[in-house]
Amino acid sequence: MSSPTKTSPATDSYSAPMPEPRLAEAIARADAVVVGAGAGLSAAAGLTYDGERFHRLFGDFIAAYQLTDMYSSAFFQFPSPEVRWAYWSRHIMANRYDPLPTDLYGRLRGLLDGREYTVITTNVDHAFIRAGFDPERVFAVQGNYGRWQCSVPCRQETWGNESAVRRMVAEQRDQRIPTALVPSCPWCGAPATMNLRVDHTFVQDPAWYASAERYQRFLDDHTEGVTLYLELGVGWNTPGIIKYAFWRRVAQNPAAAYAVVNRDIAVPRELVAQTLTFPGDLSEVLGRHG
């Protein structure tokens, strides 16, 4: 493929209730829809990692440790496990168990109602499932805030953390949880850690492989015909997972279409004729359908 071609921002303006006809029609025409979602979708849905939301949720941690945002805070070296899990329990609670701040994911689900679709997402906030998407149609390739794993890891297994996280949030004082609440592996006793893909220790448990299999089977079943690859808020941190993979599949199927919604859009020249671009704010573009 040649170098991507940048698009310029859209100049059209629409009132909020009006549908965006090109995207609605593309979904209606498709035999199948493959949704690829990145961090931009959750940010547009209100799950922002900086700014007012970060200061409201973590003001005491910001004052104590000069934290700047939730993303970099995930890599911060806190002084003890008790402090680390006080931070992380609040991070998990805000981004996994608290109600979604807006109905953007629900509006997206409404767009796909009655359609043959699957979802791959690098987001780890479980927002698709929380908004009512069928869990068997969603592949969260990078992990899930709602799961813990062994830090070693001693085995390829994960376990749910909701009750433990809620207790940590309720019982923490002065940016610390009680030592008795520090989580450990139920099999070997090593420290527990998040089931997030940050290095080679990431655990791909049986549920992960089952999701990956279902997703691949859907792709294999729709190599021909009018398949719409709908990319939402995917950036350039890990483009190989969604963006480049979508480009390859669209290039291999002349009947396929590629639709991308993002503030910054680049498309290979060879795919321009098969591409619909929606530069701008995701909440506005999808909101026109809601």
Side-chain angles (χ1 to χ4, degrees):
M1 287 184 184
S2 63
S3 299
T5 301
K6 290 276 186 177
T7 68
S8 58
T11 56
D12 312 8
S13 62
Y14 297 86
S15 59
M18 289 180 64
E20 215 310 334
R22 291 185 302 152
L23 183 54
E25 288 168 9
I27 291 172
R29 283 198 309 269
D31 301 322
V33 182
V34 182
V35 177
L41 178 60
S42 281
L47 294 169
T48 51
Y49 275 25
D50 54 12
E52 184 277 332
R53 182 171 183 259
F54 177 60
H55 283 264
R56 172 166 44 85
L57 294 171
F58 295 99
D60 54 343
F61 276 94
I62 294 168
Y65 299 103
Q66 293 75 57
L67 304 180
T68 58
D69 60 85
M70 276 187 254
Y71 181 79
S72 62
S73 297
F75 301 95
F76 188 81
Q77 296 299 306
F78 291 103
S80 70
E82 289 83 357
V83 176
R84 177 174 183 265
W85 284 109
Y87 170 81
W88 264 107
S89 60
R90 257 195 261 174
H91 183 119
I92 298 165
M93 194 73 200
N95 296 301
R96 171 63 179 84
Y97 296 120
D98 282 347
L100 292 171
T102 74
D103 67 345
L104 184 63
Y105 274 90
R107 281 184 255 142
L108 175 60
R109 191 195 70 230
L111 274 175
L112 296 168
D113 277 351
R115 313 304 306 171
E116 184 72 10
Y117 76 88
T118 191
V119 174
I120 181 170
T121 180
T122 53
N123 297 338
V124 295
D125 48 33
H126 211 61
F128 280 99
I129 314 304
R130 292 153 69 192
F133 281 77
D134 180 353
E136 298 214 338
R137 292 175 180 262
V138 179
F139 178 28
V141 65
Q142 301 288 62
N144 182 345
Y145 279 143
R147 311 292 293 179
W148 284 337
Q149 64 169 75
C150 177
S151 57
V152 174
C154 68
R155 62 189 67 199
Q156 294 296 299
E157 298 285 352
T158 67
W159 66 96
N161 61 25
E162 182 173 3
S163 61
V165 164
R166 290 185 182 277
R167 190 173 172 192
M168 287 179 186
V169 171
E171 297 186 25
Q172 64 181 255
R173 300 290 183 274
D174 300 321
Q175 300 93 52
R176 295 175 59 86
I177 64 166
T179 300
L181 298 186
V182 173
S184 59
C185 174
W187 295 286
C188 74
T193 192
M194 301 300 299
N195 181 228
L196 306 176
R197 190 187 299 278
V198 294
D199 58 27
H200 68 283
T201 64
F202 175 66
V203 165
Q204 298 177 172
D205 66 6
W208 187 96
Y209 280 106
S211 290
E213 239 178 78
R214 287 192 295 268
Y215 176 70
Q216 187 60 52
R217 191 181 314 124
F218 188 97
L219 296 181
D220 291 345
D221 288 345
H222 297 93
T223 56
E224 299 177 348
V226 185
T227 301
L228 174 66
Y229 294 84
L230 175 57
E231 181 191 302
L232 303 172
V234 176
W236 296 95
N237 283 342
T238 54
I241 296 174
I242 296 173
K243 189 181 295 289
Y244 294 166
F246 278 18
W247 289 359
R248 284 193 297 272
R249 289 195 167 267
V250 174
Q252 291 164 1
N253 178 8
Y258 173 52
V260 54
V261 187
N262 213 331
R263 291 186 181 278
D264 180 32
I265 297 176
V267 180
R269 291 186 183 88
E270 297 92 334
L271 301 185
V272 168
Q274 292 170 267
T275 299
L276 295 171
T277 60
F278 302 89
D281 186 88
L282 263 158
S283 62
E284 291 184 8
V285 173
L286 296 182
R288 293 172 193 149
H289 306 269

